[in-house]
Amino acid sequence: GQVSFSDQELRNLQLLFLVIDRTDDGKISAEEVMAWSLDEGERVSEEDAKRVVEAVDADLDGFIGLDDWLWFAHCCRELWLEETNEGK
Protein backbone atom coordinates (compact mmCIF):
# COMPACT_ATOMS: atom_id res chain seq x y z
CA GLY A 1 0.00 0.00 0.00
CA GLN A 2 0.90 3.64 -0.41
CA VAL A 3 2.43 5.42 2.57
CA SER A 4 0.45 8.56 3.30
CA PHE A 5 0.52 10.88 6.28
CA SER A 6 -0.95 14.29 6.95
CA ASP A 7 1.55 17.15 6.68
CA GLN A 8 1.68 17.40 10.49
CA GLU A 9 2.24 13.64 10.94
CA LEU A 10 5.03 13.70 8.36
CA ARG A 11 6.71 16.68 10.06
CA ASN A 12 6.48 14.98 13.46
CA LEU A 13 7.95 11.73 12.11
CA GLN A 14 10.78 13.60 10.37
CA LEU A 15 11.54 15.62 13.51
CA LEU A 16 11.70 12.52 15.70
CA PHE A 17 13.97 10.85 13.14
CA LEU A 18 16.30 13.88 13.26
CA VAL A 19 16.34 13.81 17.08
CA ILE A 20 17.36 10.14 17.13
CA ASP A 21 19.89 10.56 14.26
CA ARG A 22 22.54 12.24 16.42
CA THR A 23 25.28 12.05 13.78
CA ASP A 24 23.08 13.76 11.16
CA ASP A 25 24.07 11.18 8.57
CA GLY A 26 20.51 10.36 7.51
CA LYS A 27 20.41 6.99 9.23
CA ILE A 28 19.82 5.65 12.72
CA SER A 29 22.23 3.11 14.20
CA ALA A 30 21.74 0.78 17.16
CA GLU A 31 24.02 3.08 19.18
CA GLU A 32 21.74 6.03 18.43
CA VAL A 33 18.69 4.00 19.49
CA MET A 34 20.45 3.26 22.79
CA ALA A 35 21.41 6.91 23.35
CA TRP A 36 17.91 8.17 22.53
CA SER A 37 16.29 5.63 24.85
CA LEU A 38 18.51 6.84 27.70
CA ASP A 39 17.37 10.40 27.01
CA GLU A 40 13.79 9.13 27.27
CA GLY A 41 14.50 7.52 30.65
CA GLU A 42 14.76 3.93 29.41
CA ARG A 43 17.81 1.74 29.15
CA VAL A 44 17.87 -0.45 26.06
CA SER A 45 20.58 -3.09 25.78
CA GLU A 46 22.81 -3.19 22.72
CA GLU A 47 21.18 -6.49 21.74
CA ASP A 48 17.67 -4.98 21.95
CA ALA A 49 18.77 -1.87 20.05
CA LYS A 50 20.13 -4.09 17.28
CA ARG A 51 16.80 -5.94 17.21
CA VAL A 52 14.97 -2.62 16.84
CA VAL A 53 17.17 -1.66 13.89
CA GLU A 54 16.71 -5.09 12.27
CA ALA A 55 12.93 -4.87 12.70
CA VAL A 56 12.67 -1.43 11.07
CA ASP A 57 15.49 -1.76 8.48
CA ALA A 58 13.44 -2.52 5.35
CA ASP A 59 16.33 -2.13 2.89
CA LEU A 60 18.68 -4.32 5.00
CA ASP A 61 21.59 -1.86 5.05
CA GLY A 62 22.07 -2.24 8.80
CA PHE A 63 20.58 1.15 9.66
CA ILE A 64 17.18 2.82 9.84
CA GLY A 65 16.92 5.30 6.98
CA LEU A 66 14.12 7.84 6.67
CA ASP A 67 12.31 5.63 4.13
CA ASP A 68 12.55 2.66 6.53
CA TRP A 69 11.28 4.90 9.35
CA LEU A 70 8.27 6.16 7.40
CA TRP A 71 7.38 2.67 6.17
CA PHE A 72 7.54 1.30 9.72
CA ALA A 73 5.36 4.16 11.01
CA HIS A 74 2.86 3.45 8.22
CA CYS A 75 2.74 -0.27 9.08
CA CYS A 76 2.27 0.48 12.78
CA ARG A 77 -0.54 2.90 12.02
CA GLU A 78 -2.26 0.31 9.79
CA LEU A 79 -2.00 -2.27 12.59
CA TRP A 80 -3.39 0.19 15.11
CA LEU A 81 -6.31 1.06 12.80
CA GLU A 82 -7.09 -2.65 12.31
CA GLU A 83 -7.16 -3.23 16.08
CA THR A 84 -9.37 -0.17 16.59
CA ASN A 85 -11.82 -1.27 13.91
CA GLU A 86 -12.02 -4.81 15.28
CA GLY A 87 -13.27 -3.39 18.58
CA LYS A 88 -16.38 -1.89 16.96
Side-chain angles (χ1 to χ4, degrees), residues 50-85:
K50 286 179 180 178
R51 282 195 200 116
V52 168
V53 171
E54 288 173 9
V56 181
D57 179 20
D59 63 8
L60 304 176
D61 67 353
F63 298 93
I64 301 170
L66 184 58
D67 288 343
D68 300 328
W69 180 256
L70 295 176
W71 180 250
F72 182 75
H74 170 75
C75 291
C76 288
R77 185 172 70 178
E78 290 293 310
L79 181 64
W80 178 80
L81 289 174
E82 285 174 18
E83 289 175 3
T84 303
N85 290 333

Side-chain angles (χ1 to χ4, degrees), residues 21-62:
D21 177 22
R22 292 166 182 252
T23 58
D24 293 325
D25 60 0
K27 55 191 177 185
I28 297 171
S29 67
E31 291 79 15
E32 288 169 318
V33 170
M34 291 170 59
W36 175 73
S37 68
L38 279 175
D39 288 348
E40 294 297 307
E42 300 283 329
R43 187 186 181 294
V44 173
S45 70
E46 184 176 355
E47 186 176 317
D48 286 344
K50 286 179 180 178
R51 282 195 200 116
V52 168
V53 171
E54 288 173 9
V56 181
D57 179 20
D59 63 8
L60 304 176
D61 67 353

